[in-house]
Amino acid sequence: MKTQTRVAVIGGGIAGCSTLYHLTQEGWSDVVLLERDELTSGTTWHSAAQVTNFGMTQTMVGLKTHSIQLYQELANDPDYPINYHHGDGGIRLANTEAQMDGYRHFASMARGMGVEFEVIDAAECARRHPLISTDNLVGGLWDPMDGDIDPAQLCQALARRARKAGAEVYRNTPVTALRQRKDMSWEVETPNGTIHAEIVVNAGGYRVNEIAAMMGVRHPVMSMEHQYFVTDDMPQVRDAGHRMPLLRCPISDYYCRQERDGLLVGFYEQDCRTWGMDGIDPKFTNDLCPDDLDRITDVLEGAFARMPALMEVGIKTVVNGPITYSLDGAPLVGPIPGKRNAFCIIGLRAGVGEGGGHGWLLAQQIVHGEAVYDTWGLDPRRFTGHDSVELTALKAIEEYQNEFRFHFPHEHRPAGRPFKTTPLTALLEAEGAVMTQVSGWERLDYMRPAPDFVEAHSFRRTDLHEVIAAEVQALHSGVGLTEVSGFTRIEVTGADATAFLNRMTCSRIPSKVGRVALVYLLNGQGRIKCEATLTRLEDRDGAPRYWYGSAAAAEGHDFDWLSQHIAPGEDVRLTPLTETHTTLVLAGPKAREVLSATARGDWSAEAFPWLSARPATVGIADALVMSVSFSGELAYEIHVRNAQLVPAYRALRATGAAHGLTLFGARAVESMRLEKSFLHWKADLLTEFTPFETGLDRFVRMEKPDFVGKPALEARTGANPAKRLVTLSIACTDREAQPGATVQVGSEVVGTVTSAAFGHRTGLNLALAFIDAEQARIGTPLTLDLIGDIIPAEVIAPNPFDPGMTRPRG
């Protein structure tokens, strides 16, 4: 066995084999895979192995498309063909028009990735799958590329190709210890010797946290028992003249595909069960859990009603094995939080079907630092402090129970809530606040207009539209208050802090104490990595001090990015303050009057202009006040320690009463920031685009001697961007666009919506979208595919509300 390698991949299922193969495709041949038993001896061997194009985001569609194309190539390899039933087709059923709207949206989104789905009615579902009943059925979504594959052959084929490219595979070689050296490389200990690896990859399947424990971390991944059975041969299947399409049924929580001349039927029962919470038997390999068909009785009855033929056939085989789920159901593919040169590809609930794409994206991240797609939806750092074993179990159960039920817009499921709260959470709820969740934090979404009001989640406009309109109008004409919980806040100090931040950002950083600047950080490819507000504070111990603020979801991501760029010997210290402070936002034309009545000092526009910051006492609470706005109105961010948050809030409420102060939530902010064409991290700010493509030219200072990403950005000087981020006005009043919706010129796809909301101050139905640069001129007519209808739209000038920015300046 080798004693040194560039990358050691731990785990020989689809995740590990795909990563190993794709590393060789990216040009790294000095890579090894370590498997404790035989290849595919974990979850992979008993996988139902369905391969679909369907995904909830464009990134997921893209990686599944890569899987399908790769698997087709492997199946057609004359030297080592594998069994892949490709193009049998598959249907996702629906029994409500609301579900059908969701399918229409996903079809629009997939078109942007070159994938064609078809929305069909109930009769057409039955024509394409003759074994199903149309009772209580409205229609479905047809995926013509759907199919299934032999998982063991797939992994062996990937390992074979990786070996041919120079990789090595060591079977029966369990990893027993992982130790990180001072140079951040790893010693990987096994019974067969120790390998010194520059990089390690955790692809451990359901043993993910055994490997994680060796690194001193824990991942929010939980295993669930999952059962399916294979029927005896069925004449209806054998004599159909074609392979039966795959079926996925959110109505009755089961799926079905052809297996030889019978059917494989799997279940997502409500009475589900976690597995391995208290440890896994070391001898559990190529093994299964005991059958428990009583647990699936209710789901089976639904399957019988949908497919009566199942009541007439015997069961040949029952399989009950563990499959892994993450905290939010999406895989964790990328850098391990808080570690250097360590990556993971874990929590793959549908591993075989999409594992080809996951390994592809991870290999690109390892070799190049980024992938062709923005991978935030898969990034392990999206969980920050809300990943306990118990919470993961609750969320895994919830995801399992809703396997085929997609999230509607603004839908947040209840398991494990509330988890992260502030001292204001209960007070706000008592006043009628409906909370959303951001990176585990409870955050005010909107104020309930009546005690019995419940939002109807839909892809069409709902009665919440008028509620948000009222919140926006009250703020726009008077003054409003909200809490922004979980806002990422990092104090940057040290003698080299200024030089460090100048190197990290392409923008101008604030040079004077008490000034605030919006800055952008780029990756090595010159594309957008982070967005932050930098505030210069009073020096501490003779050294400069800054507050770095960014989106709540960016906490782990940004801390990793900053800490990994501190050079040896550089005097820079990063202190996270996210857990200790919370932000109150006071906004509206009367905001200055309320602040002046609550905090001593001169808060006039002359004494405290736009983009200023200074300490203050709000009521009796110490705070840092900043004159910044995400709403486009005069606004103040009031940063308060959690221990004094309640008195600060009560003081603002008390003085605000005389000025008609109201509460507003995140949904109103979303409407207002679209009217300003303000961008949201990981909605509109993506690693796929440069600041020039994103319309952020004014924040780039190419005259700076150096910053991360500058050489790559310079190499593009003079090149015309392929895409541009534009603001669109949409000509409809019964729906807003959803992220991922396709933008067209005629029948040609030219772009994708990133954010959208109705602008209540402008009366415009707005969206932001990346579109082909030649279509980005103001006034260009376009169309959007919104839940199956082609809606006219037009490129308009950005910042349609108060383009002169007079209101925030007061």
Side-chain angles (χ1 to χ4, degrees):
M1 190 172 72
K2 296 175 73 168
T3 59
Q4 192 153 339
T5 188
R6 200 165 194 179
V7 183
V9 180
I10 306 170
I14 181 59
C17 291
S18 177
T19 302
L20 189 76
Y21 165 73
H22 283 98
L23 284 169
T24 65
Q25 293 299 293
E26 297 298 326
W28 286 16
S29 58
D30 181 16
V31 293
V32 303
L33 184 148
L34 304 168
E35 165 54 44
R36 73 189 300 274
D37 300 301
E38 295 289 342
L39 296 185
T40 74
S41 59
T43 294
T44 301
W45 81 270
H46 61 74
S47 167
Q50 301 168 87
V51 184
T52 174
N53 247 331
F54 181 82
M56 298 290 289
T57 65
Q58 285 195 325
T59 295
M60 294 298 287
V61 172
L63 68 86
K64 291 184 177 187
T65 298
H66 176 84
S67 295
I68 289 172
Q69 292 171 346
L70 171 63
Y71 298 171
Q72 283 182 279
E73 181 187 340
L74 294 172
N76 295 329
D77 186 340
D79 296 327
Y80 194 85
I82 64 175
N83 293 325
Y84 177 27
H85 300 121
H86 168 256
D88 294 344
I91 310 173
R92 292 175 184 270
L93 301 179
N95 65 341
T96 69
E97 280 297 336
Q99 289 173 306
M100 293 295 288
D101 276 347
Y103 290 158
R104 294 180 185 107
H105 167 68
F106 295 128
S108 171
M109 179 191 69
R111 285 194 62 220
M113 300 300 289
V115 171
E116 294 292 339
F117 292 146
E118 186 181 354
V119 179
I120 58 178
D121 62 20
E124 185 62 17
C125 290
R127 190 189 72 78
R128 298 187 188 191
H129 199 305
L131 297 184
I132 68 170
S133 161
T134 58
D135 291 347
N136 189 32
L137 186 65
V138 175
L141 182 69
W142 172 259
D143 174 5
M145 296 293 108
D146 220 335
D148 67 271
I149 198 166
D150 185 307
Q153 289 182 356
L154 168 61
C155 290
Q156 293 290 353
L158 291 168
R160 173 179 174 272
R161 287 195 172 192
R163 287 191 190 99
K164 289 180 68 175
E168 297 190 25
V169 177
Y170 303 126
R171 298 172 295 117
N172 300 303
T173 307
V175 173
T176 55
L178 290 165
R179 291 181 293 273
Q180 193 158 30
R181 295 183 172 186
K182 290 183 178 180
D183 65 356
M184 297 296 120
S185 63
W186 293 85
E187 290 179 1
V188 185
E189 186 177 292
T190 80
N192 302 328
T194 297
I195 300 178
H196 176 214
E198 295 176 27
I199 295 168
V200 294
V201 176
N202 184 346
Y206 54 66
R207 295 190 184 274
V208 49
N209 277 311
E210 294 178 7
I211 299 166
M214 300 178 200
M215 296 184 184
V217 299
R218 205 201 70 78
H219 295 295
V221 173
M222 179 64 59
S223 293
M224 302 292 299
E225 289 188 18
H226 177 62
Q227 295 188 94
Y228 65 78
F229 61 65
V230 178
T231 72
D232 292 332
D233 291 353
M234 300 173 64
Q236 305 97 313
V237 175
R238 183 190 62 224
D239 302 333
H242 59 82
R243 285 186 60 82
M244 286 289 166
L246 287 82
L247 198 70
R248 297 173 183 87
C249 182
I251 308 165
S252 302
D253 298 304
Y254 81 99
Y255 62 88
C256 176
R257 70 165 175 83
Q258 185 168 335
E259 177 69 14
R260 299 185 184 274
D261 287 334
L263 295 174
L264 183 155
V265 187
F267 305 92
Y268 290 95
E269 71 279 7
Q270 299 303 294
D271 183 22
C272 54
R273 182 175 299 168
T274 59
W275 181 85
M277 281 186 70
D278 297 316
I280 302 169
D281 188 337
K283 298 178 182 178
F284 191 92
T285 180
N286 277 108
D287 210 345
L288 294 171
C289 310
D291 302 346
D292 189 4
L293 291 182
D294 289 343
R295 206 167 71 227
I296 64 169
T297 300
D298 57 337
V299 187
L300 189 57
E301 289 175 355
F304 285 163
R306 182 63 58 204
M307 299 178 68
L310 288 175
M311 292 186 284
E312 303 167 6
V313 65
I315 296 175
K316 182 186 298 182
T317 306
V318 178
V319 171
N320 184 17
I323 57 176
T324 56
Y325 279 74
S326 77
L327 191 70
D328 64 359
L332 282 72
V333 180
I336 293 176
K339 294 294 178 181
R340 299 285 294 274
N341 299 325
F343 295 81
C344 60
I345 177 169
I346 53 179
L348 277 60
R349 67 204 275 184
V352 170
E354 56 198 34
H358 287 133
W360 176 55
L361 293 186
L362 181 59
Q364 292 174 51
Q365 292 179 69
I366 293 171
V367 174
H368 307 297
E370 299 286 356
V372 291
Y373 305 134
D374 188 293
T375 57
W376 177 245
L378 309 173
D379 197 304
R381 295 167 296 186
R382 66 188 188 270
F383 305 115
T384 51
H386 57 296
D387 55 1
S388 69
V389 174
E390 289 73 15
L391 178 64
T392 303
L394 287 174
K395 297 303 288 186
I397 290 169
E398 184 178 61
E399 287 294 325
Y400 186 95
Q401 292 171 333
N402 291 279
E403 176 68 29
F404 297 133
R405 299 185 186 96
F406 53 79
H407 283 76
F408 280 89
H410 306 293
E411 178 192 4
H412 294 274
R413 291 173 180 163
R417 292 184 63 187
F419 189 75
K420 290 183 182 180
T421 61
T422 76
L424 285 187
T425 304
L427 286 176
L428 292 169
E429 288 182 317
E431 293 199 54
V434 175
M435 310 302 280
T436 185
Q437 194 178 62
V438 181
S439 193
W441 290 92
E442 295 294 316
R443 182 178 290 182
L444 202 170
D445 200 25
Y446 62 89
M447 296 302 295
R448 187 178 279 113
D452 58 348
F453 179 86
V454 177
E455 180 182 2
H457 296 291
S458 172
F459 284 85
R460 299 177 187 270
R461 185 170 292 174
T462 71
D463 50 1
L464 192 65
H465 180 79
E466 297 304 323
V467 176
I468 304 306
E471 288 187 13
V472 171
Q473 180 56 39
L475 183 155
H476 173 60
S477 60
V479 60
L481 180 67
T482 194
E483 176 197 50
V484 181
S485 55
F487 185 74
T488 295
R489 193 179 288 97
I490 302 168
E491 188 171 81
V492 185
T493 57
D496 299 319
T498 299
F500 170 73
L501 290 170
N502 251 320
R503 187 178 77 248
M504 290 303 298
T505 173
C506 67
S507 310
R508 178 184 295 143
I509 71 171
S511 58
K512 296 181 179 179
V513 171
R515 295 301 292 167
V516 183
L518 183 63
V519 302
Y520 291 90
L521 290 72
L522 310 182
N523 60 24
Q525 291 77 38
R527 297 186 171 94
I528 293 175
K529 189 72 174 177
C530 316
E531 178 192 57
T533 52
L534 274 184
T535 305
R536 180 73 187 263
L537 303 176
E538 291 282 353
D539 292 359
R540 176 176 293 164
D541 299 326
R545 182 167 64 108
Y546 298 84
W547 266 18
Y548 174 105
S550 59
E555 181 183 357
H557 174 280
D558 286 13
F559 194 88
D560 261 10
W561 186 250
L562 293 171
S563 61
Q564 290 175 13
H565 282 82
I566 299 174
E570 198 169 24
D571 182 14
V572 176
R573 293 180 297 280
L574 307 178
T575 305
L577 302 175
T578 304
E579 298 282 343
T580 59
H581 292 68
T582 296
T583 306
L584 298 172
V585 175
L586 184 69
K590 297 180 181 179
R592 179 177 289 112
E593 298 170 48
V594 175
L595 183 61
S596 298
T598 316
R600 286 183 293 109
D602 184 354
W603 297 100
S604 66
E606 294 73 26
F608 193 66
W610 169 244
L611 297 180
S612 295
R614 75 176 183 219
T617 302
V618 178
I620 59 172
D622 294 331
L624 180 68
V625 180
M626 300 182 191
S627 178
V628 294
S629 173
F630 201 44
S631 64
E633 301 287 349
L634 175 66
Y636 303 101
E637 285 185 0
I638 302 168
H639 300 260
V640 189
R641 288 185 179 276
N642 285 341
Q644 295 184 302
L645 185 60
V646 170
Y649 172 78
R650 285 180 170 165
L652 290 165
R653 290 287 274 155
T655 54
H659 302 278
L661 182 144
T662 59
L663 297 178
F664 67 97
R667 205 78 68 87
V669 174
E670 184 72 358
S671 166
M672 291 184 286
R673 71 103 178 168
L674 262 294
E675 292 180 302
K676 297 298 296 175
S677 300
F678 288 166
L679 310 184
H680 200 293
W681 188 72
K682 292 310 177 187
D684 320 298
L685 298 167
L686 305 171
T687 57
E688 297 173 30
F689 303 102
T690 70
F692 300 136
E693 292 171 305
T694 313
L696 298 172
D697 311 48
R698 66 192 184 280
F699 293 99
V700 180
R701 297 289 182 265
M702 294 300 292
E703 68 274 12
K704 292 175 67 171
D706 185 36
F707 57 81
V708 173
K710 183 178 180 180
L713 210 55
E714 284 180 323
R716 293 189 178 89
T717 301
N720 293 322
K723 296 283 186 180
R724 291 279 192 187
L725 185 68
V726 299
T727 302
L728 301 176
S729 176
I730 307 168
C732 70
T733 58
D734 65 334
R735 72 198 78 176
E736 280 75 58
Q738 296 298 327
T742 288
V743 184
Q744 304 173 174
V745 171
S747 60
E748 179 187 0
V749 175
V750 298
T752 298
V753 170
T754 57
S755 295
F758 187 82
H760 291 282
R761 294 171 299 187
T762 59
L764 298 176
N765 194 356
L766 297 167
L768 298 176
F770 277 103
I771 66 173
D772 293 348
E774 58 267 25
Q775 306 295 338
R777 292 182 303 278
I778 294 172
T780 301
L782 302 166
T783 59
L784 273 64
D785 179 352
L786 300 186
I787 53 176
D789 295 325
I790 304 303
I791 307 295
E794 180 183 347
V795 179
I796 64 172
N799 198 10
F801 174 76
D802 185 28
M805 294 289 286
T806 58
R807 293 178 74 90
R809 291 182 169 89

